[in-house]
């Protein structure tokens, strides 16, 4: 495998031709694929089996997209969900089983194995480089992908696009203005105005979607709590100041991100508890925390948030 190491490091895969050029015979390739030592990504493209199994679905899609683009060349650009991934935008609940490309050569739209070919009008400036591949502009990819999924996934994707910094609200709205009459685009019509890059994660976007879906007051995002000297004690994901309630989304990734070198996870949890105590002491507000599993029973979670809002309001009016 050493002779193929360069290609694997660069692209995450190697082709049949590359393997032949470094000395493997066709029977070797067949044997390695059958044994699982090599994983067949698509026709003529392979990755080390152990390495492939360690990749999450997004990383697997990235590798598969590179293999597709190597095969199809300059006649296409990544778009839809594949363009979103190439631009490094967070994805949640997007189908990643096929690579999506937009034809730049006037070719017909079709599904061909693991590739969805889209017909689409495109101008020269709309094709950019992402992850060393041709891709459509990120705002276009986000809108196209969002138009093909349910409302919650679309909401999260629009937020994630703005959060990524690859485009801003002006570019998002301009792109939607051009694309609003395209197929499926009516599905995001009511979502574009509410897209907000201040949602710091998919979990925070899902919370915002839950609050709106159940008619709860929309919170302030990234709410800063200041000490008497003006310094910032903390920033909460959500806040309802008029109801005396702060809110946080707790994901496992969040605590991993806070972990410093040599620090025990328990230390992080303890520090977060002290932070919460200080925020409540400064504001006199209550705190509600949501975790990923809370979204599985949205109605019960919404009822819990509603009770917290009513309780906090009652405490403040006493």
């Amino acid at each position: 495998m050493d002779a193929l190491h360069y290609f694997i490091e660069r692209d995450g895969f190697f082709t049949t031709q590359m393997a032949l050029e470094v000395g493997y015979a066709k029977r070797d390739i067949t044997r390695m694929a059958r044994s699982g030592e090599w994983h067949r990504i698509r026709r003529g493209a392979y990755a080390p089996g152990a390495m492939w199994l360690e990749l999450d679905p997004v990383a697997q899609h990235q590798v598969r997209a590179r293999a597709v683009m190597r095969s199809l060349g300059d006649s296409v650009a990544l778009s839809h969900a594949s363009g979103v991934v190439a631009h490094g935008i967070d994805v949640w609940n997007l189908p990643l089983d096929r690579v999506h490309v937009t034809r730049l050569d006037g070719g017909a739209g079709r599904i061909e194995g693991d590739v969805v070919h889209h017909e689409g009008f495109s101008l020269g400036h709309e094709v950019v480089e992402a992850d060393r591949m041709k891709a459509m502009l990120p705002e276009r990819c986000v809108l196209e992908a969002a138009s093909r999924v349910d409302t919650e996934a679309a909401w999260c994707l629009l937020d994630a696009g703005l959060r990524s910094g690859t485009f801003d609200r002006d570019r998002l709205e301009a792109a939607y203005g051009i694309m609003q009459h395209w197929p499926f685009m009516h599905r995001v019509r009511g979502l574009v105005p509410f897209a907000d890059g201040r949602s710091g994660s998919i979990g925070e976007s899902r919370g915002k979607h839950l609050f709106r879906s159940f008619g709860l007051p929309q919170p302030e995002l990234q709410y800063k709590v200041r000490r008497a000297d003006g310094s910032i004690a903390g920033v909460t994901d959500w806040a309802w100041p008029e109801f005396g309630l702060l809110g946080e989304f707790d994901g496992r990734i969040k605590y991993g991100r806070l972990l410093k070198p040599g620090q025990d996870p328990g230390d992080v949890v303890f520090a977060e508890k002290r932070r919460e105590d200080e925020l409540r002491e400064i504001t006199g507000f209550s705190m509600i925390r949501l975790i990923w599993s809370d979204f599985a029973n949205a109605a019960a979670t919404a009822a819990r948030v509603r009770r917290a809002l009513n309780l906090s309001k009652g405490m403040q009016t006493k």
Side-chain angles (χ1 to χ4, degrees), residues 28-254:
D28 297 326
I29 297 172
T30 300
R31 175 176 53 82
M32 300 286 265
R34 285 178 176 172
S35 70
E37 188 167 348
W38 290 357
H39 173 80
R40 183 178 180 273
I41 300 169
R42 65 190 314 267
R43 183 178 179 181
Y46 300 87
M51 184 198 81
W52 183 260
L53 292 175
E54 291 178 354
L55 300 179
D56 63 27
V58 173
Q60 289 180 352
H61 190 83
Q62 287 175 305
V63 175
R64 188 177 291 111
R66 291 191 195 107
V68 166
M69 293 300 288
R70 181 179 179 85
S71 174
L72 297 181
D74 292 336
S75 61
V76 301
L78 294 174
S79 61
H80 297 71
S82 300
V84 170
V85 170
H87 283 291
I89 297 168
D90 292 339
V91 300
W92 172 77
N93 217 25
L94 290 188
L96 297 175
D97 54 325
R98 286 190 170 106
V99 174
H100 291 258
V101 299
T102 289
R103 303 296 311 190
L104 303 178
D105 58 359
R110 64 190 184 277
I111 297 177
E112 189 175 60
D114 60 347
V115 183
V116 181
H117 298 256
H118 296 272
E119 289 184 72
F121 173 77
S122 60
L123 299 173
H125 76 276
E126 292 183 293
V127 180
V128 296
E129 182 176 299
D131 196 19
R132 295 183 288 111
M133 297 176 286
K134 280 188 175 182
M136 305 308 297
L137 285 170
E139 58 268 33
R140 173 168 167 167
C141 294
V142 163
L143 285 168
E144 289 178 324
S147 73
R148 305 299 181 100
V149 294
D150 65 43
T151 300
E152 185 178 19
W155 186 299
C156 293
L157 184 53
L158 292 169
D159 278 2
L162 290 173
R163 180 169 64 250
S164 72
T166 56
F167 58 87
D168 58 20
R169 170 160 291 283
D170 288 343
R171 282 176 55 177
L172 177 65
E173 292 178 348
Y176 178 72
I178 294 170
M179 301 166 62
Q180 60 184 314
H181 299 300
W182 292 14
F184 306 102
M185 205 55 61
H186 64 279
R187 297 179 180 178
V188 299
R189 181 181 302 123
L191 302 181
V192 171
F194 296 100
D196 196 321
R198 291 177 299 164
S199 289
S201 68
I202 297 294
E204 292 174 41
S205 294
R206 292 191 71 188
K208 193 176 67 167
H209 175 265
L210 183 147
F211 306 145
R212 183 170 181 80
S213 298
F214 285 87
L216 296 168
Q218 283 296 291
E220 294 186 27
L221 305 180
Q222 306 305 316
Y223 184 77
K224 295 179 181 178
V225 176
R226 297 184 181 274
R227 301 183 180 93
D229 63 3
S231 62
I232 297 176
V235 181
T236 64
D237 300 330
W238 312 300
W240 296 264
E242 67 273 31
F243 293 93
L245 183 65
L246 304 174
E248 293 264 89
F249 171 73
D250 287 342
R252 287 181 297 174
I253 295 175
K254 176 177 182 177

Side-chain angles (χ1 to χ4, degrees), residues 18 21 49 63 149 172 224 247 257 290 306:
M18 291 171 184
E21 288 175 357
V63 175
V149 294
L172 177 65
K224 295 179 181 178
R257 188 170 61 242
L290 302 187
R306 183 173 286 109

Side-chain angles (χ1 to χ4, degrees), residues 241-289:
E242 67 273 31
F243 293 93
L245 183 65
L246 304 174
E248 293 264 89
F249 171 73
D250 287 342
R252 287 181 297 174
I253 295 175
K254 176 177 182 177
Y255 290 105
R257 188 170 61 242
L258 295 173
L259 196 63
K260 297 176 182 177
Q263 192 174 28
D264 185 89
D267 296 334
V268 175
V269 174
F270 179 71
E272 182 65 11
K273 178 63 169 62
R274 292 190 63 182
R275 169 181 169 273
E276 178 183 326
D277 289 343
E278 183 180 16
L279 298 182
R280 288 191 288 106
E281 288 170 4
I282 292 172
T283 61
F285 295 172
S286 300
M287 170 76 80
I288 189 166
R289 291 182 176 273

